[in-house]
Amino acid sequence: MAETATREFLHNLHELPHTVKDACFRLGKAPESEREESQATFHNLFLHIHSVRVHVRTLKPTLTFGLGLMATASFVITIITGVLLMVYYKPSTDLAYQSIKDIHFTVSTGRFIRNIHRWSAQLMVLVVLLHMARVFFTASYKKPREFNWLVGLGLLVITLALSFTGYLLPWDQLAYWAITIGSNIANSPRELTDAIGITKFFDPGGFQKRLLLGANYVGQDALIRFYVLHVFVLPLALVTLLGVHFWRIRKDGGLARPEDPMGGIAEWGGERRPVFQPLATKTYGLMALVKGKRPPVNRGPENTVMSWPHLFWAELSVFMVTVAATLILSFYWDAPLKELANPAIPENPAKAPWYFLGIQELVSYSAFTGGLLIPVIVVVGLALIPFLDRRAEGEGIWFGTKSERPIFWQSFFFASAVTVGMLAFTVNYGWLRNWFPNIHQLWIIAINPGSLLVLIFAAWSLFVLKRKDSVRLAAVSLFTCFLVAFTILTYFATVHRGPNWHFYWWPSQWPLH
Amino acid sequence: MKDPSRIYRWLLLVASLVTVGYLVGAAVHENYLAQWKTVQREYRNILRQKATDDRGRELLAKFRIEMKQASIPALGTVDRCVTCHNGIDDPRMADVEQPHRTHPGHILDKHPVDRFGCTVCHHGQGAAMTFREAKADDVFWDYPLLPPEMTEATCVTCHDAGKLPPEQIPLLTTGMKLYQEKGCGSCHKLGGRGGALGPALDNEGSKTKHQLIMTNLKPPHTTWDWQLAHFRDPGGVVPDSQMHNPTVTQREALALTVYMLSQWKRDVPESYLAPDKIDQKYHALHPTPLTGEQVYQQYCAACHGNGTYSRWDKKFNRFVPAIRGVSLTSTASREYLQANIEQGRPGTQMPGWGPHAGGLLPEEITAVIEYLRSSAAAVPAMTALTLRGDASNGLPLFLRNCAGCHGMNGRGGVAPEIGNPVFQRAATDEFIIRTIRNGRVATAMPAFQRPEAPTFGDQDIADVLAYLRTLGEQRGQKATAQNVTSPVSSGGRP
């Protein structure tokens, strides 16, 4: 008896690697048949959000450029590095800066980890914007994907908020003054309430700013608020919405694509056969239903492949490309860390994070228009796109509608010319306040380079709508104008705005204070 | 069918190789190749060579390659300089190369590293682990490493510079003396005492490079480079500076720079202060009055010179009167001088020097008045003037004879502002009459009633006086307003 138990024990010990493996992996081996491949997909918590088979178009690199996955990958990277940083970071105005310095100097590869966090966060913002552009220009927001477009917009806003809240945490001069500028943008409705003299009774700008900072200035209250948002609230919200985003991709039938054509040559069970074209006047009875060797009736060529392994190779490779790109950036360029935050020594120019610099440029014309009105118009406009453009055409194809590409290029050059022209005019000749020093502020709120840009772009879009008689083309023209203006304004404010927000050709020409 | 995921597998392979490569690279770069580890390996070799006796062998055996730091919570510093400066308190290391060398002098005997750290004296970024970042003159850090000869500036954090042996702080002592000799206090406040033309200098040493105009200087932009350049040529560093060229040698400029760097009200715990520093703080609250001559030298001389001549100041664009001239001190009353010193001359560069303005003690103002008057001759008796003047007759006389120098409405020009409210309040009729009659020796002010050829009769003088008195009424408001907006150089800030 004892001998058998001992033998059994030894046997189990010997088998331990196999039994543990079997317990962990339900399939227990590399899948060999399509059935096992499908099991590998839907028996795995992380993979089962994919369908078992995907359309080959999904795997075409130039359809998506992997942008959505890249955004997800950079988010995963920021989560991992963020948790590591959280171990050392102390969210207090007295300790924060020194803790970042310690991460740089004494934590083993701490500087590298912080660089990765910083770079993947920047990459995430950039890639999310590009992803939005991709979805728009492949018309992938159309029915039934309207809701996912809205979820995506929510994710864009959360991404910007995550990046913005993270900006403050190092508590250096860059952080302090960028957030001061950012919170002043939140304060911008006050320009309007001041102009019509109701700030005393109704002050939404001041309320927004206090809600953001917990005080009237950037201090300990703001730091702890930003910290809680950055490490808990916003990541949780982002993960939740991301789950919905993925789930809806699956439920909406994968990536948007055009209908497969009927007929032609089908590849079916390893053989290539012409597809049988059913005649409308004839019935084919059970021939249309039976499995096995039968003519493929009433269907196009089989254009799907197994998700395992093809889709997963693609996803893994995009993930690793993102990791590699982030590592390269982080190896050569350090995340910035300026002097300890000092409220007595303003940075000049104090600039918001780069993705808000376009808004800051508009705010320099009019706080209310640039800081509230135009961003609201842009977000609402983006949200309305799938509900105003509802004709099913061109889904899943870059510039898929007729004459979409020419309209894109026309809008591209039109918007570039208008934006550059407007900037050049403003820099050279000033604006209403320079010409009529005593003019009422309401005039400037109403008429400024920002509001004029919006009006010109809207007029252009209406012109396209009339001339081309297509809602989609009007949307393309407007969206292109928005992208171009956003890019040019961001570039302009980053490179050509110096101390006191004056124009300079290059930062090297800034006067040193 | 072509394998649809072939390109992705290649991509995955390349990206994974790059990833692994950079991860390994970063691990090696940040750990094994870290500068401080190389330095410590070098130091261990030196220890090995010097391990000739028991003590040396014991130090070698104890030596570990690890990060070292002096963490001083009381000073709020964490100084990791000793990670590379391993031999800093080992006297055997006096002859080896930096960074292994012993600290020069005997300073560490009384200032052990584990109690004081390094940056409290040397500045620099103590937490850094590379020399470039510790020196911090081209990284983002407010207080980069002080050059060795300027390090004495920080002694005053805990010591009274006046009580330290001058040979240990040669530059600081010289700088302190120069500050008084050059009369810097005429325009700058220090400890609440001094003029108002330039910025107060109490926290000059705590300024960062971002608070100074660096446009005309070459990088790296350190505050001491700014100070050095500024002492040689203020206007060349700060455009539109009103500061006079201090005419100093390079070494004197260096001494003044060190003195400026020492101006930093840094909070350190009481237990770190030398007894003389505590005495100094007490004396700052209970100052001993200076003599009249000292006050004149430190607070008046920079503008008024030795006070016996009047001059035209180009930078001020204004006439600076001879306040020790015999004809002023012999005619001006004590009250007149006191009012002018305590309240200054609004609208001119002359600030007030009373306890709430320039910070001079009442005793010192009395003393400096005595000093001004020490050159005065006996005042001859004056025949009283009892005539009543008529301002409307005085006006044409004023325009013909006075306005050319004193300006329309007496608002000043090459000669003092006699429409000034402080002048109007403080100057007695007798003082004005006496000045008109006798003029001012060694200035452009002529005597208008010389016995041999009188320009004015007694009635003329009375009329001019009556006219002058109307100026105070007209200009009172305006002069005050002008004083508020008078251009004062902002010194360092743009």
Side-chain angles (χ1 to χ4, degrees), chain A residues 56 58-61 97-98 101-102 104-112 267 302 304-305 309-311 313-314 316-318 320-321 323-324 327-328 331-332 337-340 342 345-347 511-513, chain B residues 1 3-5 7-9 11-12 15-16 18-20 22-23 25-27 29-31 36 67 69 78 80 125 127-130 133 139-142 208-215 217 221 493-494:
Chain A
V56 280
T58 309
L59 291 172
K60 223 175 113 191
Y97 184 69
Q98 196 52 50
K101 282 281 182 192
D102 281 345
H104 263 212
F105 293 138
T106 59
V107 175
S108 185
T109 66
R111 185 195 302 248
F112 193 51
E267 193 169 300
E302 181 57 46
T304 59
V305 292
H310 301 298
L311 180 62
W313 280 128
L316 200 59
S317 67
V318 171
M320 285 313 289
V321 165
V323 172
L327 288 186
I328 293 173
F331 193 83
Y332 296 107
L337 185 65
K338 296 187 99 177
E339 293 91 346
L340 175 66
N342 188 344
I345 308 175
E347 291 273 285
L512 290 159
H513 41 89
Chain B
M1 182 192 255
D3 184 352
S5 57
I7 177 178
Y8 294 113
R9 289 208 296 272
L11 203 58
L12 179 61
S16 303
V18 169
T19 300
V20 171
Y22 272 89
L23 282 178
H29 182 257
E30 301 249 329
N31 291 297
W36 64 272
M67 195 196 81
Q69 65 181 23
V78 177
R80 304 196 172 113
Q125 186 171 201
M129 296 292 282
T130 65
E133 284 167 306
V139 300
F140 294 115
W141 189 251
D142 282 335
T208 73
K209 61 182 174 185
H210 299 296
Q211 287 164 287
L212 301 166
I213 296 172
M214 295 288 184
T215 317
L217 296 181
H221 295 126
R493 294 291 294 163

Side-chain angles (χ1 to χ4, degrees), chain B residues 49-67:
Chain B
Q49 288 160 20
K50 296 203 180 248
T52 47
D53 55 359
D54 283 348
R55 171 101 183 108
R57 277 186 287 273
E58 190 195 329
L59 284 174
L60 174 64
K62 266 180 24 192
F63 186 78
R64 297 264 174 286
I65 294 204
E66 61 189 3
M67 195 196 81

Side-chain angles (χ1 to χ4, degrees), chain A residues 498-509:
Chain A
N500 305 322
W501 214 247
H502 290 321
F503 173 82
Y504 294 91
W505 280 109
W506 298 112
S508 57
Q509 297 169 330

Side-chain angles (χ1 to χ4, degrees), chain B residues 179-397:
Chain B
Y179 185 88
Q180 295 178 355
E181 278 173 12
K182 299 280 176 187
C184 306
S186 301
C187 301
H188 298 280
K189 275 197 176 58
L190 201 52
R193 284 157 66 92
L197 272 188
L201 300 174
D202 294 279
N203 268 309
E204 195 65 11
S206 75
K207 278 190 179 166
T208 73
K209 61 182 174 185
H210 299 296
Q211 287 164 287
L212 301 166
I213 296 172
M214 295 288 184
T215 317
N216 300 332
L217 296 181
K218 284 198 193 77
H221 295 126
T222 55
T223 51
W224 50 86
D225 281 344
W226 186 93
Q227 297 282 0
L228 272 173
H230 186 257
F231 279 123
R232 300 309 299 271
D233 179 14
V237 175
V238 181
D240 307 326
S241 171
Q242 286 197 58
M243 180 156 155
H244 291 134
N245 211 323
T247 55
V248 286
T249 64
Q250 188 63 30
R251 183 169 167 79
E252 284 175 333
L254 185 63
L256 283 166
T257 298
V258 170
Y259 185 54
M260 286 301 103
L261 292 176
S262 75
Q263 297 304 319
W264 188 352
K265 303 275 168 290
R266 191 167 167 184
D267 261 340
V268 291
E270 203 88 325
S271 59
Y272 278 86
L273 298 183
D276 55 45
K277 184 73 180 178
I278 296 172
D279 289 349
Q280 189 195 23
K281 289 190 169 196
Y282 176 84
H283 286 307
L285 295 174
H286 307 86
T288 324
L290 300 175
T291 67
E293 189 177 354
Q294 284 170 327
V295 170
Y296 186 86
Q297 204 55 45
Q298 292 183 27
Y299 300 112
C300 314
C303 299
H304 290 286
N306 69 10
T308 55
Y309 57 89
S310 66
R311 64 185 184 85
W312 174 255
D313 190 296
K314 269 195 216 160
K315 281 199 171 156
F316 292 176
N317 195 23
R318 188 175 289 281
F319 160 90
V320 179
I323 50 174
R324 292 181 67 217
V326 65
S327 16
L328 172 72
T329 48
S330 62
T331 43
S333 68
R334 172 180 296 281
E335 289 73 26
Y336 171 75
L337 292 174
Q338 188 175 342
N340 275 289
I341 293 171
E342 282 185 351
Q343 299 166 37
R345 282 281 181 92
T348 75
Q349 275 82 356
M350 172 75 177
W353 292 92
H356 300 295
L360 292 186
L361 303 172
E363 300 93 305
E364 289 174 328
I365 291 180
T366 315
V368 82
I369 290 171
E370 280 313 312
Y371 178 71
L372 295 181
R373 289 164 66 93
S374 62
S375 62
V379 182
M382 190 183 78
T383 50
L385 193 72
T386 50
L387 299 165
R388 278 186 66 85
D390 181 350
S392 55
N393 291 338
L395 174 61
L397 287 171

